[in-house]
Amino acid sequence: MRSIFVGNPNVGKSALINKLTGSKLLVANYPGTSHKIAYVNKGEQCFYDTPGIYALHGQGGNAAVVRDLLLDSAGLRVVNVVDAANLERNLVLTLEILALGLPTVVVLNQMDLAASLNIQIDMEALSQELECPVIGISVADGSGFKRLLDWLDKPVETGRSSVDPRQIEKLSRTSGSPKCQHCTEACQHNVITIDRATIERARTLAAQVIKTEPAARHQTWLEKVQDGLDQPVIGTAALLALAYGLFTMMVTLVNLLEGPISEALQPLSDILTVLIQGLLPPGAFNEVLSLAIPEGLVIPFTIIMPAMIIVGVFISILEDTGLLPRYSVALERVTSFIGVSGQAIIPLTLGFGCRTPAIMATSLLPNAAERFIIATLLSIVVPCAASLGVMAAVIAKFNAYIYVVAATMLVVLLLLGFGLSRLMPRDESFVYELPPLRIPAWRTTWQKVVSRTGGFFTEVLPLLLLMNIVLRALMETGVLESFQAMEGFTQFFFGIPAEAMVAVLITIFQRYLAPLVLLNLALSPREATIAITMIALSLPCLPVMTMIVKEMGAKQLLSILALGIISSIIVGVSLNVILP
Amino acid sequence: MKTIKNLKTGDKARITSIDTEVAGSQQLVEMGLTPGSEIQLLAKYPLRGPLLVKLGNNRIAVDYKLAQALVVNEMNDSPARDVLDS
């Protein structure tokens, strides 16, 4: 049996499925978290999670994805998840769904939020008017779940399991070509959109079943904070201050933790060294491995792990509180400068955690051009948590100019975005719903942090170990010194020693490993600043490249790689000219 | 013709029509900004930034260009003003 969960964005479809099945679909407090159909099996049932849509007969890719799933409707049931605090708007979609004639249940979610807003809904009257079961639930106290599970366990009544044929035609016409028989080009004449009658009906219905009007009541402190944050000047200043605070806290914490962690792991590293020295026959091989393995195992824990956890915690909190989408409104002028709509802030911020899921999150952008711009910026400019950790360590070691590094990255972000957007002129429009601020459910937020740092053991640790062995081998065998011939060239153009240039070249394999080479060199603050900035602004790591090919194609990846190399070179030369 | 751009922060208004000539205006309708609905302008971001609109218990940000599509009739606490306006 298949059940498809459909509803407006951010009403809690994925969270409900997680609660029903124990699945771990990604949830966050902003519209557009789910951007693809996902399915979860529970016994003989299959639950489809869908991206949130405002209307079935709506424009945009998400509505088309849901319509396609509904068209393949044999044995399909619909669970329409509705935000109880926003009944009127949600009912438009409900009425469109009910017109399909599929077995449907309407689930009123966030009943606790509605109650806190003094909204009381006469569910019996609503059920009678809609001629379908209406179940009020609250994820917080678990009420209503029993009734919902019972409904889901009931077999589908025969004869009511496929879409009404007239509705099929309507659904496919919304998806189909917008050109009508009179026009030669795409036009709006044949497009089916939500009709006025449905909107009117939803309005009357909502007025009919909401028992108490929201009376005057005291604002909670959270609402006061929200009102403050949604003020243009004060709110934007507060959001920027918060971002700055989180950034400084991350850098400070990473530097503070490095010493103690490295001390704690020292005995382990010593044992490993002795073990390897004793086990392997003496020689160059022994020397390289006894140095590289303990070091390659310790460094990830001292500088990468803390950064991944700290950034993971920060991003998960920003997501789950509803603060993250507020940046998209506050910074809309900035994103408009780089030619993308405000919600682009969301993938850009996620990129500070890990850029692979961030590339996936670009699907919440309205068109391919914007997705390409953001994918490029993510690949070239935005440093992921692992890179941040390594960068922070290198910057601290050489006293490099952190503000020069940060400012250069910001300038490159703006210029690159601006340039790309002028190459792809188009009309961007921005409409975005701000979710209410919420206190996160700490358990789910923590689960998210755990899943975000999972890549540490599967990717960071093994790769770093391997790369460290290769690097050590290069250093011990003197291969690295043979690059000395390049010294004149690298010093003239970039103002850095040849070995540092090798580090820059290593980014081609794995960005966050490259700075490790720097750690073993003797660099002046100026040299370290230039080298680290060139590394920070170059190529994406392998998993990101794979994701770009999957989501956008190999051609786009090649353009991004070319842009990355060019930007790295330009940045190196410019800093060499500018810096005293 | 008055659009939400002409409102002051805090003003309440009723949407009278949606200018379908403005690119992207269909999105507004889908999000519930339909003719007849009551809204309140919560904030106008500087430098032609987005406008934040309250619709029921929702907060919707609309960019400056798209805001042009939301044609409104200002609502006042005293009914006398409505008569004067019309």
Side-chain angles (χ1 to χ4, degrees), chain A residues 512-544:
Chain A
Y512 47 79
L513 298 178
L516 288 182
V517 181
L518 298 180
L519 282 177
N520 293 305
L521 304 174
L523 297 174
S524 70
R526 182 180 190 272
E527 288 169 342
T529 306
I530 297 177
I532 198 83
T533 319
M534 283 181 79
I535 290 173
L537 295 164
S538 56
L539 300 176
C541 62
L542 214 59
V544 169

Side-chain angles (χ1 to χ4, degrees), chain B residues 32-77:
Chain B
L33 291 164
T34 52
S37 42
E38 270 176 42
I39 55 146
Q40 185 184 13
L41 184 68
L42 289 180
K44 277 180 179 173
Y45 282 75
L47 311 167
R48 300 181 156 229
L51 286 83
L52 191 61
V53 173
K54 188 171 185 220
L55 169 79
N57 289 307
N58 282 326
R59 289 171 181 226
I60 301 173
V62 180
D63 79 49
Y64 192 79
K65 264 185 288 177
L66 207 48
Q68 188 69 41
L70 288 170
V71 184
V72 293
N73 227 343
E74 204 176 328
M75 299 193 315
N76 288 86
D77 293 326

Side-chain angles (χ1 to χ4, degrees), chain A residues 157-339:
Chain A
E157 302 159 47
T158 42
R160 276 204 69 197
S161 59
S162 61
V163 175
D164 180 334
R166 277 165 306 170
Q167 292 292 329
I168 291 189
E169 201 240 326
K170 212 175 151 192
L171 280 178
S172 26
R173 254 174 73 196
T174 318
S175 292
S177 148
K179 192 171 84 67
C180 77
Q181 62 215 59
H182 306 293
C183 298
T184 49
E185 278 170 31
C187 65
Q188 294 291 314
H189 302 135
N190 215 2
V191 174
I192 290 186
T193 52
I194 27 175
D195 51 294
R196 278 295 278 276
T198 311
I199 294 169
E200 286 306 325
R201 172 105 173 91
R203 185 168 293 158
T204 354
L205 210 57
Q208 212 175 319
V209 297
I210 294 179
K211 279 193 286 197
T212 44
E213 277 297 302
R217 56 186 195 92
H218 281 299
Q219 273 195 317
T220 60
W221 66 268
L222 204 59
E223 285 169 316
K224 282 181 195 153
V225 172
Q226 173 171 308
D227 282 347
L229 288 177
D230 291 344
Q231 292 297 314
V233 182
I234 310 167
T236 308
L239 286 169
L240 290 177
L242 176 69
Y244 179 77
L246 291 179
F247 175 73
T248 354
M249 203 147 106
M250 190 276 301
V251 175
T252 322
L253 278 175
V254 167
N255 288 335
L256 274 179
L257 287 170
E258 194 191 333
I261 297 178
S262 135
E263 251 170 59
L265 292 175
Q266 193 59 45
L268 205 74
S269 152
D270 290 343
I271 295 171
L272 266 174
T273 313
V274 175
L275 258 177
I276 298 167
Q277 272 172 344
L279 282 175
L280 291 176
F285 198 55
N286 185 318
E287 254 168 60
V288 168
L289 286 188
S290 61
L291 249 175
I293 292 181
E295 194 183 57
L297 284 175
V298 168
I299 288 180
F301 285 98
T302 53
I303 54 183
I304 297 183
M305 180 84 158
M308 282 178 86
I309 295 178
I310 295 164
V311 176
V313 170
F314 288 169
I315 290 183
S316 305
I317 291 176
L318 287 178
E319 267 189 347
D320 290 359
T321 47
L323 282 167
L324 186 52
R326 291 193 150 70
Y327 282 93
S328 68
V329 178
L331 299 177
E332 192 267 350
R333 289 289 76 199
V334 181
T335 59
S336 159
F337 177 78
I338 59 171

Side-chain angles (χ1 to χ4, degrees), chain A residues 378-390:
Chain A
L378 278 169
S379 304
I380 299 174
V381 188
V382 176
C384 67
S387 317
L388 277 172
V390 180

Side-chain angles (χ1 to χ4, degrees), chain A residues 220-549:
Chain A
T220 60
W221 66 268
L222 204 59
E223 285 169 316
K224 282 181 195 153
V225 172
Q226 173 171 308
D227 282 347
L229 288 177
D230 291 344
Q231 292 297 314
V233 182
I234 310 167
T236 308
L239 286 169
L240 290 177
L242 176 69
Y244 179 77
L246 291 179
F247 175 73
T248 354
M249 203 147 106
M250 190 276 301
V251 175
T252 322
L253 278 175
V254 167
N255 288 335
L256 274 179
L257 287 170
E258 194 191 333
I261 297 178
S262 135
E263 251 170 59
L265 292 175
Q266 193 59 45
L268 205 74
S269 152
D270 290 343
I271 295 171
L272 266 174
T273 313
V274 175
L275 258 177
I276 298 167
Q277 272 172 344
L279 282 175
L280 291 176
F285 198 55
N286 185 318
E287 254 168 60
V288 168
L289 286 188
S290 61
L291 249 175
I293 292 181
E295 194 183 57
L297 284 175
V298 168
I299 288 180
F301 285 98
T302 53
I303 54 183
I304 297 183
M305 180 84 158
M308 282 178 86
I309 295 178
I310 295 164
V311 176
V313 170
F314 288 169
I315 290 183
S316 305
I317 291 176
L318 287 178
E319 267 189 347
D320 290 359
T321 47
L323 282 167
L324 186 52
R326 291 193 150 70
Y327 282 93
S328 68
V329 178
L331 299 177
E332 192 267 350
R333 289 289 76 199
V334 181
T335 59
S336 159
F337 177 78
I338 59 171
V340 292
S341 39
Q343 60 268 49
I345 289 294
I346 293 169
L348 283 176
T349 311
L350 295 181
F352 285 94
C354 175
R355 294 174 301 172
T356 318
I359 300 275
M360 278 166 72
T362 56
S363 352
L364 62 81
L365 294 171
N367 55 54
E370 290 195 20
R371 277 195 287 277
F372 176 72
I373 294 176
I374 293 303
T376 308
L377 297 179
L378 278 169
S379 304
I380 299 174
V381 188
V382 176
C384 67
S387 317
L388 277 172
V390 180
M391 283 168 65
V394 175
I395 288 172
K397 175 166 182 198
F398 297 107
N399 271 324
Y401 321 131
I402 187 165
Y403 290 102
V404 174
V405 179
T408 314
M409 293 175 83
L410 197 63
V411 169
V412 172
L413 180 102
L414 293 176
L415 289 181
L416 197 58
F418 181 80
L420 284 176
S421 69
R422 295 312 126 172
L423 289 176
M424 299 180 280
R426 82 220 94 82
D427 254 344
E428 85 255 9
S429 60
F430 172 59
V431 203
Y432 199 60
E433 192 183 329
L434 283 184
L437 279 190
R438 242 177 246 159
I439 302 290
W442 298 111
R443 229 171 59 111
T444 48
T445 308
W446 180 245
Q447 274 169 2
K448 226 160 32 171
V449 176
V450 171
S451 81
R452 280 210 160 107
T453 36
F456 177 81
F457 292 101
T458 57
E459 194 198 309
V460 177
L461 199 58
L463 264 173
L464 227 143
L465 184 62
L466 191 73
M467 275 303 293
N468 206 50
I469 295 171
V470 176
L471 280 181
R472 274 288 160 204
L474 286 179
M475 280 192 271
E476 298 296 314
T477 53
V479 174
L480 217 52
E481 268 105 78
S482 68
F483 283 91
Q484 287 298 338
M486 279 172 37
E487 185 81 15
F489 169 80
T490 58
Q491 284 289 2
F492 178 76
F493 282 102
F494 309 116
I496 57 174
E499 288 109 322
M501 192 65 203
V502 175
V504 175
L505 294 176
I506 283 172
T507 45
I508 295 172
F509 301 108
Q510 190 69 11
R511 182 195 267 187
Y512 47 79
L513 298 178
L516 288 182
V517 181
L518 298 180
L519 282 177
N520 293 305
L521 304 174
L523 297 174
S524 70
R526 182 180 190 272
E527 288 169 342
T529 306
I530 297 177
I532 198 83
T533 319
M534 283 181 79
I535 290 173
L537 295 164
S538 56
L539 300 176
C541 62
L542 214 59
V544 169
M545 293 193 204
T546 322
M547 185 55 77
I548 291 174
V549 173

